[in-house]
Amino acid sequence: MPKSVAKPAVDPTVSLQLGVDRSSPVPLYFQLSQQLEAAIERGALTPGTLLGNEIELAGRLGLSRPTVRQAIQSLVDKGLLVRRRGVGTQVVHSQVKRPLELSSLYDDLEAAGQRPETRVLRNTVEPASAEVAAALGVAEGDEVHLVERLRLAHGEPMAYLRNRLPSGLLDLETPRLEATGLYRLMRAASITLHSARQSVGARAATADESERLGEPAGAPLLTMQRTTFDDTGRAVEFGSHIYRASRYSFEFQLLVRP
Amino acid sequence: MPKSVAKPAVDPTVSLQLGVDRSSPVPLYFQLSQQLEAAIERGALTPGTLLGNEIELAGRLGLSRPTVRQAIQSLVDKGLLVRRRGVGTQVVHSQVKRPLELSSLYDDLEAAGQRPETRVLRNTVEPASAEVAAALGVAEGDEVHLVERLRLAHGEPMAYLRNRLPSGLLDLETPRLEATGLYRLMRAASITLHSARQSVGARAATADESERLGEPAGAPLLTMQRTTFDDTGRAVEFGSHIYRASRYSFEFQLLVRP
DNA sequence: GAAGTTCTGTTGTCCGGACAAAGGATTGAC
DNA sequence: GTCAATCCTTTGTCCGGACAACAGAACTTC
């Protein structure tokens, strides 16, 4: 007689009502990965759970194994699943929120439930300094767009944002800048952002800065410089921002590249 | 008679001497992606170059299209290539260096050519405070390992590092801590890091801190808190670090998730 | 000459199958 | 009981093919 009985390892995905709509234009692997992600999100798949094996899952859903693998892979890339050869695919033991995205302060604040407000202080054109020219990849002295904004939350200043953009890239009207964030305007202009190079540091506030942000003189500030590139490699934005360290910090999650 | 002649678009990969070794245990897609990456790195494939189409490339290398696609995809994920349906695959217009890794300060300094030095100030065990317990996922009052280190470069203090680890995870001998970085010790103990949650901020130095770091009183400091998880979801480290803002800033590249 | 239409080339998605490699559990030998 | 060898399960890699979707160029029509 076998000493077993210990076989509680029922495939947890069976009770999940997974299913794909083949008439939808949404790719099958994407439909599946979204359903799995939602299941993890709402706790139907708890951390540590072992997903049933790919072949069986594919068979049950009427999909091929490559398609199921593609769905799982996308979640592995997001850090939600972990695969182990010979073992199976496991829901990662929670803690994953969102792996560092190229987000604007505006989106961050809005997501945090704070109603961001923008005050445009300058919106003009000026010749590029050597530093700006190098960052944007234009010639020194070329005209670039300059935008200076004060970002507030709950009526309190949070950050002072200074951006330079290649002139003519975007029509930046002050009302639109006050209504939303810069990145949203870019996306709306069908500029597809690709990557950014950032530098985060700290320094003491100058007299001007402390006054503008409502901080005592010499208060510590968080600084961020960022050059953003679109998918053709053009630099589309160079920002030099300062944040009130007493009110703001950068939070992010990052994944180890396997 | 065709008006053409305009056909300078020779596949740039033909002159690249690509080829795979089927007897090698290294996966074919990986061999190919490495060769392509090397070619981009050394400038043999210049930014903007259009790779030949996948099918032809697969045929020339004696590989199947899925294998070639897998190789290309890995470089797209790294941000080195951009694909456009109906157009082709293009080398991204440079600027990409390295997309933010979970690196230790030690590695960063070493890569920058500075010889990092570590002075272990404390290496002991203590009961977990509420904050530490929450971060590490242990009970309050449980014993955790505490390591306090001063990190120097060129003999100058750069950062003050305070780490808590679940006790018993690693045997942290002071000599080993002074010889290398914490993450390397973890990897050596075959702990596979998976993700980390970070928070970067700034504040003014306390009297103690300013003295330890050789900064004037009240100088702005860059702060970083990080909880690191391994692939089983365990928290393996909780760090609270402070950096001299006058000497150090965080530099990183990040990619937009498509 | 300008606008719409068709055509062509390329990547995106999906299928079904096959074998290799690794991890864990079981079995066997001592 | 302990250790090594074996088996089984699962993911990793690779193949060959098919059609869809999209972008751009060429062509036709007005």
Side-chain angles (χ1 to χ4, degrees):
Chain A
M1 177 177 157
K3 74 169 65 171
S4 62
V5 182
K7 192 86 194 239
V10 183
D11 184 339
T13 59
V14 287
S15 58
L16 229 54
Q17 305 254 337
L18 294 174
V20 294
D21 173 12
R22 299 198 90 99
S23 67
S24 162
V26 178
L28 302 180
Y29 77 89
F30 193 76
Q31 292 184 37
L32 177 54
S33 73
Q34 277 194 320
Q35 288 178 36
L36 288 175
E37 185 170 0
I40 294 170
E41 187 72 29
R42 71 168 188 269
L45 287 176
T46 56
T49 307
L50 216 50
L51 258 58
N53 77 58
E54 300 167 347
I55 311 210
E56 199 270 339
L57 183 56
R60 189 143 44 76
L61 292 173
L63 297 172
S64 71
R65 190 181 163 214
T67 303
V68 171
R69 271 184 74 77
Q70 195 173 359
I72 291 176
Q73 187 60 47
S74 72
L75 296 181
V76 171
D77 291 340
K78 280 191 182 177
L80 280 96
L81 297 178
V82 179
R83 318 169 96 138
R84 257 187 270 265
R85 181 188 309 208
V87 178
T89 304
Q90 233 175 342
V91 180
V92 83
H93 233 274
S94 98
Q95 295 298 352
V96 174
K97 289 205 173 168
R98 221 182 37 193
L100 189 49
E101 281 167 28
L102 182 53
S103 61
S104 68
L105 176 58
Y106 189 89
D107 294 338
D108 285 348
L109 289 174
E110 197 171 58
Q114 324 216 15
R115 294 216 167 253
E117 194 185 329
T118 308
R119 218 169 277 162
V120 176
L121 305 181
R122 292 177 70 185
N123 184 1
T124 173
V125 177
E126 66 164 20
S129 68
E131 183 194 13
V132 171
L136 289 180
V138 302
E140 193 174 340
D142 279 8
E143 289 212 326
V144 294
H145 212 110
L146 168 64
V147 177
E148 285 186 27
R149 295 169 294 167
L150 196 63
R151 180 86 80 210
L152 307 95
H154 299 307
E156 286 259 354
M158 294 286 290
Y160 183 74
L161 313 172
R162 190 164 48 196
N163 295 85
R164 266 96 170 188
L165 296 85
S167 85
L169 183 74
L170 213 57
D171 61 325
L172 293 164
E173 297 150 19
T174 298
R176 293 172 68 184
L177 278 170
E178 301 207 318
T180 183
L182 185 57
Y183 279 19
R184 289 201 193 167
L185 290 177
M186 287 196 182
R187 273 187 266 263
S190 66
I191 295 172
T192 57
L193 271 24
H194 177 262
S195 64
R197 183 135 191 82
Q198 293 193 191
S199 174
V200 173
R203 61 175 169 78
T206 67
D208 264 14
E209 291 167 346
S210 59
E211 190 187 349
R212 262 195 280 249
L213 290 174
E215 288 273 324
L221 296 178
L222 200 54
T223 68
M224 196 257 277
Q225 280 208 337
R226 167 153 71 183
T227 311
T228 311
F229 304 89
D230 74 356
D231 58 357
T232 70
R234 272 185 318 183
V236 293
E237 178 250 341
F238 173 61
S240 302
H241 307 318
I242 54 177
Y243 303 82
R244 295 175 72 177
S246 58
R247 299 292 185 108
Y248 191 78
S249 62
F250 293 102
E251 311 257 345
F252 52 90
Q253 173 120 12
L254 53 85
L255 301 175
V256 176
R257 183 176 292 280
Chain B
M1 173 179 160
K3 74 169 64 166
S4 59
V5 181
K7 192 87 192 224
V10 183
D11 184 340
T13 58
V14 288
S15 57
L16 227 53
Q17 304 253 335
L18 295 173
V20 294
D21 173 12
R22 299 198 89 100
S23 67
S24 162
V26 178
L28 302 180
Y29 78 89
F30 193 75
Q31 292 184 38
L32 177 55
S33 72
Q34 276 194 320
Q35 288 178 38
L36 289 174
E37 185 172 357
I40 294 172
E41 188 73 27
R42 71 167 188 270
L45 287 176
T46 57
T49 307
L50 216 49
L51 260 57
N53 77 58
E54 299 167 349
I55 309 207
E56 199 271 335
L57 183 56
R60 187 144 44 78
L61 291 172
L63 296 173
S64 71
R65 189 179 164 217
T67 303
V68 172
R69 271 183 73 77
Q70 194 173 359
I72 291 176
Q73 187 60 46
S74 72
L75 296 181
V76 171
D77 291 340
K78 279 191 184 179
L80 279 88
L81 298 178
V82 178
R83 295 202 221 239
R84 259 188 269 264
R85 182 189 308 210
V87 179
T89 305
Q90 235 175 342
V91 180
V92 84
H93 236 275
S94 92
Q95 293 298 350
V96 174
K97 290 204 171 167
R98 221 184 34 193
L100 187 51
E101 281 167 30
L102 181 54
S103 60
S104 69
L105 174 59
Y106 189 91
D107 293 338
D108 286 347
L109 290 174
E110 197 171 59
Q114 324 215 13
R115 293 215 167 253
E117 192 185 331
T118 306
R119 219 168 275 163
V120 175
L121 305 181
R122 292 177 71 187
N123 185 2
T124 172
V125 178
E126 67 165 20
S129 68
E131 184 194 13
V132 171
L136 289 181
V138 300
E140 193 175 339
D142 278 8
E143 289 212 325
V144 294
H145 212 111
L146 167 65
V147 177
E148 284 187 27
R149 295 168 295 167
L150 196 63
R151 181 84 81 210
L152 306 94
H154 298 308
E156 286 258 355
M158 294 285 291
Y160 182 76
L161 313 172
R162 189 165 49 197
N163 295 85
R164 266 99 172 187
L165 297 87
S167 83
L169 184 73
L170 212 59
D171 60 326
L172 293 166
E173 297 150 19
T174 298
R176 294 173 67 185
L177 278 169
E178 300 206 319
T180 182
L182 185 56
Y183 279 19
R184 289 201 192 169
L185 289 179
M186 287 197 185
R187 273 188 265 262
S190 68
I191 294 173
T192 57
L193 271 25
H194 176 263
S195 64
R197 181 134 191 86
Q198 294 194 190
S199 173
V200 174
R203 62 174 169 79
T206 65
D208 264 14
E209 291 166 348
S210 59
E211 190 187 347
R212 263 194 281 248
L213 290 173
E215 287 275 324
L221 297 178
L222 199 53
T223 67
M224 196 257 277
Q225 280 208 335
R226 168 153 69 182
T227 311
T228 311
F229 304 90
D230 73 356
D231 59 358
T232 70
R234 271 186 317 184
V236 293
E237 179 248 342
F238 173 61
S240 302
H241 308 318
I242 54 179
Y243 303 82
R244 295 175 73 175
S246 58
R247 297 293 184 109
Y248 191 77
S249 61
F250 293 102
E251 311 256 345
F252 52 89
Q253 174 119 12
L254 53 85
L255 302 175
V256 176
R257 183 177 291 281

